[in-house]
Structure formats: structure tokens, C-alpha cells
């Protein structure tokens, strides 16, 4: 959060991170040598001069890489290098385009300020993660779902008003008119704020992909409770046990299949699955008849206030994930037998449309049905059936 705050304030003009002047002088002299070496050093000089604008973008990729993500940093750095290489490539093919390039001016500072405001919205998310980590319950205490959403609404409105010229930053150039492109972006930000407000203040939020992404990225809404039967969380009107062993007892008594959900408090894709696929009518109608368990592998919400119990559940979940399931991917889902011994079907990762997830559920039910059909009928059951017939 501190890193992103520094980036945001820098882009908004509070201070500037500069490359040492001797580095720029050295690369400028090298580019005068001509040939391929000269072109390379010209590109290097261009990159260093643009360092102030690109530092925040690359910094975000570094943060993602430090968290263990590989795909997005690679894609981001490829896009970053392509963006800097493409002007030289196309200008080399079409030198006449050089005269038509847009001149630098106030619009560049407007882009920087807009990016800075957007990074402030990201700061609220990272602060909420810290809030969750330090919380005694393992759930957001101060920067909860509604407060972070309200922050995003505020940032979107302020950005829209800034682009309309309602107020200016100290380094902005005075302007009397607002161009059509700038007006279009302003309307987009204000409309986005209205869209979040619609989902936040109505009983049922929008059903689009954008809203699902927002809800997943926002702090989690975890409704936990403690009863005589153990610890539970609730999603879409369905209770999920937090204790695997307690759930096995319930499933064994009622001879019900188990639906296991390996998840995490700070898992964005887990929230996307909960708000999307798991909440859909076809999936909801199937899992409501199963014994449901959520196995949190980072923090067990609601149980953190009881350190011994929290450590027991967390260790049990880790053991199930690594030794029984054999994979640390989250989200991951399992259909298991009532005794919790046999895995009937598995699904790992994110499913955006739910088709593959429904196939996974169907495969688990079909396999259980086949086992029940092929299993030998106990003698006691035969006698009881014969007695009923007579």
C-alpha cells in the first residue's frame, strides 16, 4: 500500500523521481555513434527520460512478481517493451509520420494525474488486505467491503470531475474547453461510479462480468457463525462447515456426499467462483443437497480468536490439501464419499461460465451412483425387503 501511495503521489505531481543526469548524458553521447548501436542507445535514452511515467507501471508488475505471480508480470513486461519499441519500428518504416506526432503538453500531465487517482483506488484494496491480516477474526474490520466500494465510487467521481476541468492540479495547464475524448473518458468514470453505487445500494447487484470482477477484488464478505455443531460460514443462503471432521460425521450419519471447497480469505478467484458459478441456479440446486465444507488454507475466518482451535483447523486443512488432495491450487473443489475417504471428482481453478463446473458435479454424482448400484446388498436389507413384500 505504501509503494502504491508513493506512485500515486508522484503521478499527481507532489514530487518527481528523476534519473541521474549523468546517465542521460552518457546514453545521449552513445546514440551519436550511429548504426545499430546508436539506435539502441536512442531507445535507451527514450526509456530513461520516460522513467517517471513508467516507474509506477513497472512497479506494479514488480509487486505482482514478488507475490508469486508470473503470467501477468511477463505479459506486462512484454507490453511495456513493445510500447517502447514500436515507435522506433514504425518511424523507421515511415519517417514522414514523425512530423504528425502529437506534441507534448498538458494532456500528458492529465494522463499522469488520472493514473495517480486510479492507483489510490488500488491502495484501498491493499490496505484492506493488511486490515484483514491484523484482524482478530480474520475478516476485514475497518476497510470492509462497503467502505472500499465507497472509496472506489469517490475516486471515480473525482477523476470524472477532474477530466471535465472542474478543478486542476498545480502542474496542469489552464484550459478553457474540454475535448470530446476527454469528455468521453469523464463520462466513463462517472458512469462507472454510478454502476458501483447501483450494485452497492440495491438488494441484488448487477449480473455482468464487470460486477463479478469488482466484487471478487473487493474485501471479502464472510458471514461466519458458531453453533453447538461447529463453525460455519454462509454463502447465498447455504451453510458451509469449517471443520472437515465434523462434516464427515454429519455426512456419514445421513449418507450424503461431501462438497469440499479449498479456498482462502484473500483469494480473488475464490470470490469470483462464490459470486458467480456457485451462486448460479444449476449449481446451487445440486450442492444444496450435499454436505458442504470450506477449507481455508490462509486464515480460518471467525476462529482466529481461539488460537488453539484455529491452528487445529488450519493444520488439518493443509494436511488435506497436500496429502489427501495432492494439490495446493485454490480454488479447488472435490466431491467425496460420505466417509471423507474417497475422492469421486475434482475441479481446480476458475470457471467463468460454469459449464465445466457442472460437468464436474455431474461426474461426481454419476460415479457415486455407479458405486451404489454395483455395491452388494447387505443381508439385513434383503430380509427387510422380503418382510415388507409379505
Amino acid at each position: 500500500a505504501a509503494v502504491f501511495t508513493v506512485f500515486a503521489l508522484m503521478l499527481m505531481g507532489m514530487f518527481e523521481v528523476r534519473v541521474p543526469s549523468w546517465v542521460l548524458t552518457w546514453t545521449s553521447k552513445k546514440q551519436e555513434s550511429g548504426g545499430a548501436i546508436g539506435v539502441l542507445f536512442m531507445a535507451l535514452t527514450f526509456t530513461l527520460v520516460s522513467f517517471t511515467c513508467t516507474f509506477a507501471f513497472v512497479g506494479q508488475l514488480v509487486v505482482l512478481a514478488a507475490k508469486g505471480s508470473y503470467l501477468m508480470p511477463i505479459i506486462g513486461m512484454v507490453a511495456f517493451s513493445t510500447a517502447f519499441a514500436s515507435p522506433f519500428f514504425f518511424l523507421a518504416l515511415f519517417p514522414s509520420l514523425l512530423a504528425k506526432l502529437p506534441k507534448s503538453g498538458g494532456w500528458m500531465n492529465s494522463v499522469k494525474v488520472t493514473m495517480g487517482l486510479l492507483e489510490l483506488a488500488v491502495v484501498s484494496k491493499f490496505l484492506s488486505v493488511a486490515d484483514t491480516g491484523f484482524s482478530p477474526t480474520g475478516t476485514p474490520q475497518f476497510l470492509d467491503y462497503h467502505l472500499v466500494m465507497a472509496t472506489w465510487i469517490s475516486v471515480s467521481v473525482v477523476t470524472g470531475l477532474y477530466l471535465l476541468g472542474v478543478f486542476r492540479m498545480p502542474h496542469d495547464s489552464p484550459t478553457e474547453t474540454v475535448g470530446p475524448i476527454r469528455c468521453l473518458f469523464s463520462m466513463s468514470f462517472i458512469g462507472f461510479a454510478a454502476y458501483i453505487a447501483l450494485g452497492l445500494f440495491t438488494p441484488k447487484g448487477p449480473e455482468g462480468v464487470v460486477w463479478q470482477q469488482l466484487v471478487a477484488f473487493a474485501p471479502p464478505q464472510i458471514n461466519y457463525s458458531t453453533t453447538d455443531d461447529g463453525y460455519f460460514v454462509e454463502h447465498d443462503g447455504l451453510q458451509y462447515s469449517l471443520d472437515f471432521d465434523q462434516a464427515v460425521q454429519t455426512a456419514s450419519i445421513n449418507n450424503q456426499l461431501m462438497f469440499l471447497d479449498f479456498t482462502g480469505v484473500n483469494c480473488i478467484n475464490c470470490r469470483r467462483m462464490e459470486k458467480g458459478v456457485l451462486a448460479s441456479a444449476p449449481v446451487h440446486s445440486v450442492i444444496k443437497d450435499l454436505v458442504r465444507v470450506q477449507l481455508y488454507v490462509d486464515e480460518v475466518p471467525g476462529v482466529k480468536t481461539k488460537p488453539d482451535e484455529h491452528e487445529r483447523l488450519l493444520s488439518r486443512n493443509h494436511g488435506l490439501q497436500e496429502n489427501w488432495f495432492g494439490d495446493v491450487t485454490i480454488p479447488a473443489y472435490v466431491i467425496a464419499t460420505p466417509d471423507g475417504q474417497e475422492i469421486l471428482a475434482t475441479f481446480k481453478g476458475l470457471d467463468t461460465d460454469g459449464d465445466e463446473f457442472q460437468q464436474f458435479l455431474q461426474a461426481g454424482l454419476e460415479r457415486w451412483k455407479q458405486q451404489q448400484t454395483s455395491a452388494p446388498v447387505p443381508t439385513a436389507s434383503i430380509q427387510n425387503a422380503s418382510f415388507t413384500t409379505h
Side-chain angles (χ1 to χ4, degrees), residues 342-365:
E342 183 180 353
I343 296 176
L344 301 175
T346 63
F347 184 90
K348 293 178 284 187
L350 176 67
D351 184 11
T352 54
D353 55 21
D355 292 339
E356 295 182 5
F357 194 85
Q358 292 180 44
Q359 294 175 10
F360 142 74
L361 291 177
Q362 190 63 32
L365 297 178

Side-chain angles (χ1 to χ4, degrees), residues 32 74 112 132 136 171 255 303 307 315 318 386:
E32 296 174 358
I74 290 175
K112 290 172 59 178
T132 303
H171 295 83
N255 196 33
V303 193
S315 299
H318 288 165
S386 177

